[in-house]
Amino acid sequence: MSSPPHTRVIPAAPPPWSPLAVLRAVPAERRDAALAGAFLLVMAAERIGVAHGLRGGLPLALVLSTGVAAPLAVRRTRPLAGYLVGAAALSVESLFVLPSPVSPYADLVGLYSLGLYAPRRRAWIGPFAALLGMAAYFADLGRAYPVIPTGVLFLWLLGWAVGYGTARRGEQREAARLLLHREVVTEERARLARELHDSVGHTLNVVLVQAGAARRLLDREPERTRELLSGMEHTGREALDDLDRMLGLLRRGEGDWDADGAAPQPGIADLERLSERLGRAGLRVRLRIDQAARRVPRSLDVSAYRIVQEALTNTVKHADARTVGVTVRCTSGRLAVEVCDDGHGVPAGYAPGRGLLGVAERVSVLGGRVEHGPGEPGGFRLRAELPVP
């Protein structure tokens, strides 16, 4: 009975006791030793069958057969040495004993293995060694059947080429895999540096501002100083939590920030807590978030928080502002984040620092755009737009 329409029939995987599975379970060196032993048995049987026609005698023929077959046992670990020994034994057998109809096939396996397992330069010795071996093997037959050596040489070189091409494709795949791994590691390091700058750098700046305010108010307003010191303690603990999360990620060496008990990354919902923290440092934050912005994907959620955090860090460090407005909206398929302060604006010779460059990189990765500069009527303004998938 045929399968129903649009139904994909998936064949069952071979059972673990199938011949192929059993063969793969055997170590490679044992498989090679078995291959060499099988060739030796077949060649020995053939030599014994034609013992009366051997020019050098049966013992010499068996020794040379062993020389042809035994190197197959090391065809993966010593491909060049094994092939040269086998080819030399085959040449001596052909010139001084009697050409065997089985020995050339062992030589073909050795030539294929040379192309597959030997380094690039050593593998190229194979075609030249094969040419010399063919000249010795067909020293007598070549005059009577000139087409046979040509056809056989082509087949042997084709076997070498198949092995050589397979090895080179494997090298290309490995090189591509290593290149991809390096790119991933580089991107991950850049991301970790950006996260450390955004989280730990921000909290340390807030602590410095609170410490400065506490120093100025220590003698005049002890209660206010106590509040600032409490805020410093709270902010420092949050910084330690962020640092612990980052170190946990480095220890695991993976990108899952929420696994194994690590604290999740903050998002738009945490901007209120961020505003309260800055309020304790003396900066008034006016926060406006629409409901649609709270339902964006997690990557945008984290990025929006980090953008606002970096903008507020710059306000604390450079703007000498008293008030800053933060607006997060999601309209027309785009998440818009805007931060404007009432500080002293853009200084002469202004150039974006590491933090703003990190914001631009983060926004670029998500396919958005960012602009920053003088605000209206003054202060500093940063606006980022991120496409919502």
Side-chain angles (χ1 to χ4, degrees), residues 175-253:
R177 187 191 67 80
L178 292 176
L179 178 61
L180 178 61
H181 176 72
R182 284 195 293 268
E183 291 177 352
V184 170
V185 169
T186 300
E187 293 176 359
E188 185 69 6
R189 286 176 176 174
R191 186 173 72 88
L192 292 175
R194 189 167 59 240
E195 294 293 339
L196 280 172
H197 177 273
D198 291 346
S199 60
V200 179
H202 166 80
T203 51
L204 288 179
N205 275 287
V206 173
V207 167
L208 290 175
V209 171
Q210 291 174 325
R215 177 179 54 81
R216 291 191 298 269
L217 299 175
L218 180 61
D219 296 329
R220 292 178 294 153
E221 300 183 34
E223 289 299 325
R224 177 59 177 160
T225 302
R226 187 177 295 107
E227 292 179 4
L228 290 172
L229 292 175
S230 177
M232 291 172 56
E233 180 184 7
H234 181 73
T235 303
R237 287 177 178 174
E238 290 184 349
L240 287 176
D241 290 340
D242 286 341
L243 183 60
D244 184 66
R245 185 180 69 247
M246 298 294 295
L247 294 177
L249 175 63
L250 290 172
R251 285 194 296 268
R252 290 195 302 275

Coordinates of all heavy atoms in Angstrom, one line a residue, residues 175-253:
A175 N 38.8 24.1 8.2 CA 39.2 25.5 8.2 C 38.0 26.4 8.4 O 38.1 27.4 9.1 CB 40.0 25.9 7.0
A176 N 36.9 26.1 7.6 CA 35.7 26.9 7.8 C 35.1 26.8 9.2 O 34.7 27.8 9.7 CB 34.7 26.5 6.7
R177 N 35.2 25.6 9.8 CA 34.7 25.5 11.1 C 35.5 26.3 12.1 O 35.0 27.0 13.0 CB 34.7 24.0 11.5 CG 34.0 23.7 12.8 CD 34.3 22.3 13.3 NE 35.7 22.1 13.6 CZ 36.2 22.4 14.8 NH1 35.5 23.0 15.7 NH2 37.5 22.2 15.0
L178 N 36.8 26.3 12.0 CA 37.7 27.0 12.9 C 37.5 28.5 12.7 O 37.5 29.3 13.7 CB 39.2 26.6 12.6 CG 39.6 25.2 13.0 CD1 41.0 25.0 12.6 CD2 39.4 25.0 14.5
L179 N 37.3 29.0 11.4 CA 37.1 30.4 11.2 C 35.8 30.8 11.8 O 35.7 31.9 12.5 CB 37.1 30.6 9.7 CG 36.8 32.1 9.3 CD1 37.9 33.0 9.8 CD2 36.7 32.2 7.7
L180 N 34.8 30.0 11.7 CA 33.5 30.3 12.3 C 33.6 30.4 13.8 O 33.0 31.2 14.5 CB 32.4 29.3 11.9 CG 31.0 29.5 12.5 CD1 30.4 30.8 12.1 CD2 30.1 28.3 12.0
H181 N 34.4 29.4 14.4 CA 34.6 29.4 15.8 C 35.3 30.7 16.3 O 34.9 31.3 17.3 CB 35.4 28.2 16.2 CG 35.7 28.1 17.7 ND1 34.8 27.8 18.6 CD2 36.9 28.3 18.3 CE1 35.4 27.8 19.8 NE2 36.7 28.1 19.6
R182 N 36.3 31.1 15.6 CA 37.0 32.3 15.9 C 36.1 33.5 15.9 O 36.1 34.4 16.7 CB 38.2 32.5 15.1 CG 39.4 31.6 15.4 CD 40.7 32.1 14.7 NE 40.6 31.9 13.3 CZ 41.0 30.9 12.6 NH1 41.5 29.8 13.2 NH2 40.9 30.9 11.3
E183 N 35.3 33.6 14.8 CA 34.3 34.7 14.7 C 33.3 34.7 15.8 O 33.0 35.8 16.4 CB 33.6 34.6 13.4 CG 34.5 34.9 12.1 CD 33.7 34.7 10.8 OE1 32.6 34.2 10.9 OE2 34.3 35.0 9.8
V184 N 32.8 33.5 16.2 CA 31.9 33.5 17.3 C 32.6 33.9 18.6 O 32.0 34.6 19.4 CB 31.3 32.0 17.4 CG1 30.5 31.9 18.7 CG2 30.4 31.7 16.2
V185 N 33.8 33.4 18.8 CA 34.5 33.8 20.1 C 34.8 35.3 20.1 O 34.6 36.0 21.1 CB 35.8 33.1 20.1 CG1 36.7 33.6 21.3 CG2 35.6 31.6 20.4
T186 N 35.1 35.9 18.9 CA 35.4 37.4 18.9 C 34.1 38.1 19.2 O 34.1 39.1 19.9 CB 35.9 37.7 17.5 OG1 37.1 37.0 17.2 CG2 36.2 39.2 17.4
E187 N 33.0 37.7 18.6 CA 31.7 38.4 18.8 C 31.3 38.3 20.3 O 30.8 39.2 20.9 CB 30.7 37.8 17.9 CG 30.9 38.1 16.4 CD 29.8 37.5 15.5 OE1 29.0 36.8 16.1 OE2 29.9 37.7 14.3
E188 N 31.6 37.1 20.8 CA 31.2 36.9 22.2 C 32.0 37.7 23.2 O 31.5 38.3 24.1 CB 31.3 35.4 22.6 CG 30.8 35.0 24.0 CD 29.3 35.1 24.1 OE1 28.6 35.4 23.1 OE2 28.9 35.0 25.3
R189 N 33.3 37.9 22.9 CA 34.1 38.7 23.7 C 33.7 40.2 23.6 O 33.7 40.9 24.6 CB 35.6 38.6 23.2 CG 36.3 37.3 23.6 CD 37.6 37.2 23.1 NE 38.3 36.0 23.6 CZ 39.5 35.6 23.1 NH1 40.2 36.3 22.2 NH2 40.0 34.4 23.6
A190 N 33.4 40.6 22.4 CA 32.9 42.0 22.2 C 31.6 42.2 23.0 O 31.4 43.2 23.6 CB 32.7 42.3 20.7
R191 N 30.7 41.2 23.0 CA 29.4 41.3 23.7 C 29.7 41.4 25.2 O 29.1 42.1 25.9 CB 28.5 40.1 23.3 CG 27.1 40.2 23.9 CD 26.2 39.1 23.4 NE 26.6 37.9 24.0 CZ 26.1 37.4 25.1 NH1 25.2 38.1 25.8 NH2 26.4 36.2 25.6
L192 N 30.6 40.5 25.7 CA 30.9 40.5 27.1 C 31.5 41.9 27.5 O 31.2 42.4 28.6 CB 31.8 39.4 27.4 CG 31.3 38.0 27.3 CD1 32.4 36.9 27.6 CD2 30.1 37.8 28.3
A193 N 32.4 42.4 26.7 CA 33.0 43.7 27.0 C 31.9 44.8 27.1 O 31.9 45.7 27.9 CB 34.1 44.1 26.0
R194 N 31.0 44.7 26.1 CA 29.9 45.7 26.1 C 29.0 45.6 27.3 O 28.6 46.6 27.9 CB 29.1 45.5 24.8 CG 28.1 46.6 24.5 CD 27.6 46.5 23.1 NE 26.9 45.2 22.8 CZ 27.3 44.4 21.9 NH1 28.4 44.6 21.2 NH2 26.7 43.2 21.7
E195 N 28.7 44.3 27.7 CA 27.8 44.1 28.9 C 28.5 44.6 30.1 O 27.9 45.2 31.0 CB 27.4 42.6 29.0 CG 26.6 42.1 27.9 CD 25.2 42.7 27.9 OE1 24.8 43.2 28.9 OE2 24.5 42.7 26.8
L196 N 29.8 44.3 30.3 CA 30.5 44.8 31.4 C 30.6 46.3 31.5 O 30.4 46.9 32.6 CB 32.0 44.2 31.4 CG 32.1 42.8 31.9 CD1 33.5 42.3 31.6 CD2 31.8 42.6 33.4
H197 N 30.8 46.9 30.4 CA 30.8 48.4 30.3 C 29.5 48.9 30.7 O 29.4 49.9 31.5 CB 31.2 48.8 28.9 CG 31.2 50.3 28.8 ND1 30.1 51.0 28.4 CD2 32.2 51.3 29.0 CE1 30.4 52.3 28.4 NE2 31.7 52.5 28.7
D198 N 28.4 48.3 30.2 CA 27.1 48.9 30.4 C 26.6 48.7 31.9 O 26.1 49.6 32.5 CB 26.1 48.2 29.5 CG 26.3 48.6 28.0 OD1 27.0 49.6 27.8 OD2 25.7 47.9 27.1
S199 N 26.8 47.5 32.4 CA 26.3 47.2 33.7 C 27.2 47.7 34.8 O 26.9 48.5 35.7 CB 26.0 45.7 33.9 OG 27.3 45.0 33.7
V200 N 28.4 47.2 34.9 CA 29.4 47.5 35.9 C 29.8 49.0 35.9 O 29.9 49.7 36.9 CB 30.6 46.6 35.9 CG1 31.5 46.9 37.0 CG2 30.1 45.1 36.1
G201 N 30.1 49.5 34.6 CA 30.5 50.9 34.5 C 29.4 51.8 35.0 O 29.7 52.8 35.6
H202 N 28.1 51.5 34.7 CA 27.1 52.4 35.1 C 27.0 52.4 36.6 O 26.9 53.5 37.2 CB 25.7 51.9 34.5 CG 24.5 52.5 35.1 ND1 24.1 53.7 34.8 CD2 23.7 52.0 36.1 CE1 23.0 54.0 35.5 NE2 22.7 53.0 36.3
T203 N 26.9 51.3 37.2 CA 26.8 51.3 38.7 C 27.9 51.9 39.4 O 27.7 52.6 40.4 CB 26.6 49.8 39.2 OG1 27.7 49.0 38.7 CG2 25.3 49.2 38.7
L204 N 29.1 51.8 38.9 CA 30.3 52.4 39.5 C 30.2 53.9 39.4 O 30.5 54.7 40.3 CB 31.6 51.9 38.9 CG 32.0 50.5 39.2 CD1 33.3 50.1 38.5 CD2 32.1 50.3 40.8
N205 N 29.7 54.4 38.3 CA 29.5 55.9 38.1 C 28.5 56.4 39.1 O 28.6 57.5 39.7 CB 29.1 56.2 36.7 CG 30.3 56.3 35.8 OD1 31.1 57.3 35.8 ND2 30.5 55.3 34.9
V206 N 27.4 55.6 39.3 CA 26.4 56.1 40.2 C 26.9 56.1 41.6 O 26.7 57.0 42.4 CB 25.2 55.1 40.1 CG1 24.1 55.5 41.2 CG2 24.5 55.3 38.8
V207 N 27.7 55.1 42.0 CA 28.3 55.0 43.3 C 29.3 56.2 43.5 O 29.3 56.9 44.6 CB 29.1 53.7 43.5 CG1 30.0 53.8 44.7 CG2 28.2 52.6 43.6
L208 N 30.0 56.6 42.5 CA 30.9 57.8 42.6 C 30.1 59.0 42.8 O 30.5 59.9 43.6 CB 31.8 57.9 41.4 CG 32.9 56.8 41.2 CD1 33.6 57.0 39.9 CD2 33.9 56.9 42.3
V209 N 29.0 59.2 42.1 CA 28.2 60.4 42.3 C 27.6 60.4 43.7 O 27.6 61.5 44.4 CB 27.1 60.4 41.2 CG1 26.1 61.5 41.5 CG2 27.7 60.6 39.8
Q210 N 27.1 59.3 44.2 CA 26.6 59.3 45.5 C 27.6 59.5 46.6 O 27.4 60.2 47.6 CB 25.9 57.9 45.8 CG 24.7 57.7 44.9 CD 24.1 56.3 45.1 OE1 24.9 55.3 45.2 NE2 22.8 56.1 45.0
A211 N 28.8 59.0 46.3 CA 29.9 59.2 47.3 C 30.3 60.7 47.3 O 30.5 61.3 48.4 CB 31.1 58.4 46.9
G212 N 30.3 61.3 46.2 CA 30.6 62.8 46.2 C 29.6 63.6 46.9 O 29.9 64.5 47.6
A213 N 28.3 63.2 46.6 CA 27.2 64.0 47.3 C 27.3 63.7 48.8 O 27.1 64.7 49.6 CB 25.9 63.5 46.8
A214 N 27.5 62.5 49.2 CA 27.6 62.2 50.7 C 28.8 63.0 51.3 O 28.6 63.4 52.5 CB 27.8 60.7 50.9
R215 N 29.9 63.1 50.7 CA 31.0 63.8 51.2 C 30.6 65.3 51.5 O 31.0 65.9 52.5 CB 32.2 63.7 50.3 CG 33.4 64.5 50.8 CD 34.6 64.3 49.8 NE 34.2 64.6 48.4 CZ 34.2 65.9 47.9 NH1 34.5 66.9 48.7 NH2 33.8 66.1 46.7
R216 N 29.9 65.9 50.5 CA 29.6 67.3 50.6 C 28.5 67.5 51.7 O 28.5 68.6 52.3 CB 29.1 67.8 49.3 CG 30.1 67.9 48.2 CD 29.6 68.7 47.0 NE 28.5 68.0 46.4 CZ 28.6 67.1 45.4 NH1 29.8 66.8 45.0 NH2 27.6 66.6 44.9
L217 N 27.6 66.5 52.0 CA 26.5 66.7 52.9 C 26.8 66.1 54.3 O 26.0 66.1 55.1 CB 25.3 66.1 52.3 CG 24.7 66.7 51.0 CD1 23.5 65.9 50.5 CD2 24.3 68.1 51.2
L218 N 28.0 65.5 54.5 CA 28.3 64.8 55.7 C 28.1 65.6 56.9 O 27.5 65.2 57.9 CB 29.8 64.2 55.6 CG 30.2 63.4 56.8 CD1 29.3 62.2 57.0 CD2 31.7 63.0 56.7
D219 N 28.6 66.8 57.0 CA 28.5 67.7 58.1 C 27.2 68.4 58.2 O 26.6 68.6 59.4 CB 29.6 68.7 58.2 CG 31.0 68.0 58.2 OD1 31.1 67.0 58.9 OD2 32.0 68.6 57.7
R220 N 26.6 68.8 57.1 CA 25.4 69.6 57.2 C 24.1 68.8 57.3 O 23.1 69.1 58.0 CB 25.3 70.5 55.9 CG 26.4 71.5 55.9 CD 26.3 72.3 54.6 NE 26.6 71.5 53.4 CZ 26.1 71.7 52.2 NH1 25.3 72.7 52.0 NH2 26.5 70.9 51.2
E221 N 24.0 67.6 56.5 CA 22.7 66.9 56.5 C 23.1 65.4 56.7 O 23.2 64.6 55.8 CB 22.0 67.0 55.2 CG 21.6 68.5 54.8 CD 20.9 68.6 53.5 OE1 20.1 67.6 53.2 OE2 21.1 69.6 52.8
P222 N 23.2 65.0 58.0 CA 23.6 63.6 58.3 C 22.6 62.6 57.8 O 22.9 61.5 57.4 CB 23.8 63.6 59.8 CG 23.1 64.8 60.3 CD 23.2 65.8 59.2
E223 N 21.3 62.9 57.9 CA 20.2 62.0 57.5 C 20.3 61.8 56.0 O 20.2 60.7 55.5 CB 18.9 62.5 57.9 CG 18.6 62.5 59.4 CD 18.6 61.1 59.9 OE1 18.2 60.2 59.2 OE2 19.1 60.9 61.0
R224 N 20.5 62.9 55.2 CA 20.6 62.7 53.8 C 21.9 61.9 53.4 O 21.9 61.1 52.5 CB 20.7 64.1 53.2 CG 20.9 64.2 51.7 CD 19.9 63.4 50.9 NE 20.1 63.5 49.5 CZ 19.6 62.7 48.6 NH1 18.8 61.7 49.0 NH2 19.8 62.9 47.3
T225 N 22.9 62.2 54.2 CA 24.2 61.4 54.0 C 23.9 59.9 54.2 O 24.4 59.0 53.5 CB 25.3 61.9 54.9 OG1 25.5 63.3 54.7 CG2 26.6 61.1 54.7
R226 N 23.2 59.6 55.3 CA 22.9 58.2 55.6 C 22.1 57.6 54.4 O 22.3 56.4 54.0 CB 22.1 58.1 56.9 CG 21.9 56.7 57.3 CD 21.1 56.6 58.7 NE 22.0 57.2 59.7 CZ 21.8 58.3 60.3 NH1 20.7 59.1 60.0 NH2 22.6 58.8 61.3
E227 N 21.2 58.3 53.8 CA 20.4 57.8 52.7 C 21.3 57.5 51.5 O 21.2 56.5 50.8 CB 19.3 58.8 52.3 CG 18.2 58.9 53.3 CD 17.2 60.0 52.9 OE1 17.3 60.5 51.7 OE2 16.2 60.2 53.6
L228 N 22.2 58.5 51.2 CA 23.2 58.3 50.1 C 24.1 57.1 50.3 O 24.3 56.3 49.4 CB 24.0 59.5 49.9 CG 23.3 60.8 49.4 CD1 24.2 62.0 49.5 CD2 22.8 60.5 48.0
L229 N 24.5 56.9 51.6 CA 25.4 55.7 51.9 C 24.6 54.4 51.7 O 25.1 53.4 51.2 CB 26.0 55.8 53.3 CG 27.0 56.9 53.5 CD1 27.3 57.0 55.0 CD2 28.2 56.7 52.6
S230 N 23.3 54.4 52.1 CA 22.5 53.3 51.9 C 22.3 53.0 50.4 O 22.3 51.8 50.0 CB 21.1 53.5 52.6 OG 20.3 52.4 52.3
G231 N 22.1 54.1 49.6 CA 22.0 53.9 48.2 C 23.3 53.3 47.6 O 23.2 52.5 46.7
M232 N 24.4 53.8 48.1 CA 25.7 53.2 47.6 C 25.8 51.8 47.9 O 26.3 51.0 47.0 CB 26.8 54.0 48.2 CG 27.0 55.4 47.8 SD 28.2 56.3 48.8 CE 29.7 55.3 48.5
E233 N 25.4 51.4 49.1 CA 25.4 49.9 49.4 C 24.5 49.1 48.5 O 24.9 48.1 48.0 CB 25.0 49.7 50.9 CG 25.0 48.3 51.3 CD 24.5 48.1 52.7 OE1 24.0 49.1 53.3 OE2 24.5 47.0 53.2
H234 N 23.3 49.6 48.2 CA 22.4 48.9 47.4 C 22.9 48.8 45.9 O 22.9 47.8 45.3 CB 21.0 49.6 47.4 CG 20.0 49.0 46.5 ND1 19.4 47.8 46.9 CD2 19.5 49.3 45.3 CE1 18.5 47.4 46.0 NE2 18.6 48.3 45.0
T235 N 23.5 50.0 45.5 CA 24.0 50.0 44.1 C 25.2 49.1 44.0 O 25.4 48.4 43.0 CB 24.4 51.4 43.7 OG1 23.3 52.3 43.8 CG2 24.9 51.5 42.3
G236 N 26.1 49.0 45.0 CA 27.2 48.2 44.9 C 26.9 46.7 44.9 O 27.5 45.9 44.2
R237 N 25.8 46.3 45.6 CA 25.4 44.9 45.6 C 24.8 44.6 44.2 O 25.1 43.5 43.7 CB 24.3 44.7 46.6 CG 24.8 44.7 48.1 CD 23.7 44.6 49.1 NE 24.3 44.5 50.5 CZ 23.5 44.5 51.5 NH1 22.2 44.6 51.4 NH2 24.1 44.4 52.7
E238 N 24.1 45.5 43.6 CA 23.7 45.2 42.2 C 24.8 45.1 41.3 O 24.8 44.2 40.4 CB 22.7 46.3 41.8 CG 21.4 46.4 42.5 CD 20.5 47.4 41.9 OE1 21.0 48.3 41.1 OE2 19.3 47.4 42.3
A239 N 25.9 45.9 41.4 CA 27.0 45.7 40.6 C 27.7 44.4 40.8 O 28.1 43.7 39.8 CB 28.0 46.9 40.9
L240 N 27.8 43.9 42.0 CA 28.3 42.6 42.3 C 27.5 41.5 41.7 O 28.0 40.5 41.1 CB 28.5 42.4 43.8 CG 29.6 43.2 44.5 CD1 29.5 42.9 46.0 CD2 30.9 42.8 43.9
D241 N 26.2 41.7 41.7 CA 25.3 40.7 41.0 C 25.5 40.6 39.5 O 25.6 39.6 38.9 CB 23.8 41.0 41.3 CG 23.4 40.8 42.8 OD1 24.2 40.0 43.4 OD2 22.4 41.3 43.2
D242 N 25.7 41.8 38.9 CA 26.0 41.8 37.5 C 27.3 41.2 37.2 O 27.5 40.4 36.2 CB 26.0 43.3 37.0 CG 24.6 43.9 36.9 OD1 23.6 43.1 36.8 OD2 24.4 45.1 36.8
L243 N 28.3 41.5 38.0 CA 29.6 40.9 37.8 C 29.6 39.4 38.0 O 30.2 38.7 37.2 CB 30.6 41.6 38.7 CG 32.1 41.1 38.6 CD1 32.6 41.5 37.2 CD2 33.0 41.8 39.6
D244 N 28.9 38.9 39.0 CA 28.8 37.5 39.2 C 28.1 36.8 38.0 O 28.5 35.7 37.6 CB 28.0 37.2 40.5 CG 27.9 35.8 40.8 OD1 29.0 35.2 41.1 OD2 26.8 35.2 40.8
R245 N 27.1 37.5 37.4 CA 26.4 36.9 36.3 C 27.4 36.8 35.1 O 27.4 35.8 34.4 CB 25.2 37.7 35.9 CG 24.4 37.1 34.8 CD 23.2 37.9 34.4 NE 23.6 39.2 33.7 CZ 23.4 40.4 34.3 NH1 22.8 40.5 35.5 NH2 23.8 41.4 33.6
M246 N 28.2 37.8 34.9 CA 29.2 37.8 33.8 C 30.2 36.7 34.0 O 30.6 36.0 33.1 CB 29.8 39.2 33.7 CG 28.9 40.3 33.4 SD 28.2 40.2 31.8 CE 29.6 40.4 30.8
L247 N 30.7 36.6 35.2 CA 31.7 35.6 35.5 C 31.1 34.2 35.3 O 31.8 33.3 34.9 CB 32.3 35.8 36.9 CG 33.1 37.1 37.1 CD1 33.6 37.2 38.5 CD2 34.3 37.1 36.2
G248 N 29.9 34.0 35.7 CA 29.2 32.7 35.5 C 29.1 32.4 34.1 O 29.3 31.2 33.7
L249 N 28.8 33.4 33.2 CA 28.8 33.1 31.8 C 30.2 32.7 31.2 O 30.3 31.8 30.4 CB 28.3 34.4 31.1 CG 28.3 34.3 29.5 CD1 27.4 33.3 29.0 CD2 27.9 35.7 29.0
L250 N 31.2 33.4 31.7 CA 32.5 33.0 31.3 C 32.9 31.6 31.7 O 33.6 30.9 30.9 CB 33.6 34.0 31.8 CG 33.5 35.5 31.2 CD1 34.4 36.4 32.0 CD2 33.9 35.4 29.7
R251 N 32.5 31.2 32.9 CA 32.9 29.9 33.4 C 32.1 28.8 32.5 O 32.7 27.8 32.2 CB 32.5 29.7 34.8 CG 33.5 30.4 35.8 CD 33.2 30.0 37.2 NE 31.9 30.3 37.7 CZ 31.6 31.5 38.3 NH1 32.6 32.3 38.6 NH2 30.4 31.8 38.7
R252 N 30.9 29.1 32.2 CA 30.2 28.1 31.4 C 30.6 28.1 29.9 O 30.5 27.1 29.2 CB 28.6 28.4 31.5 CG 28.0 28.1 32.8 CD 26.5 28.1 32.7 NE 26.0 29.3 32.2 CZ 25.8 30.4 32.9 NH1 26.0 30.4 34.2 NH2 25.2 31.5 32.3
G253 N 31.0 29.3 29.4 CA 31.5 29.4 28.1 C 30.3 29.3 27.1 O 30.5 28.8 26.0

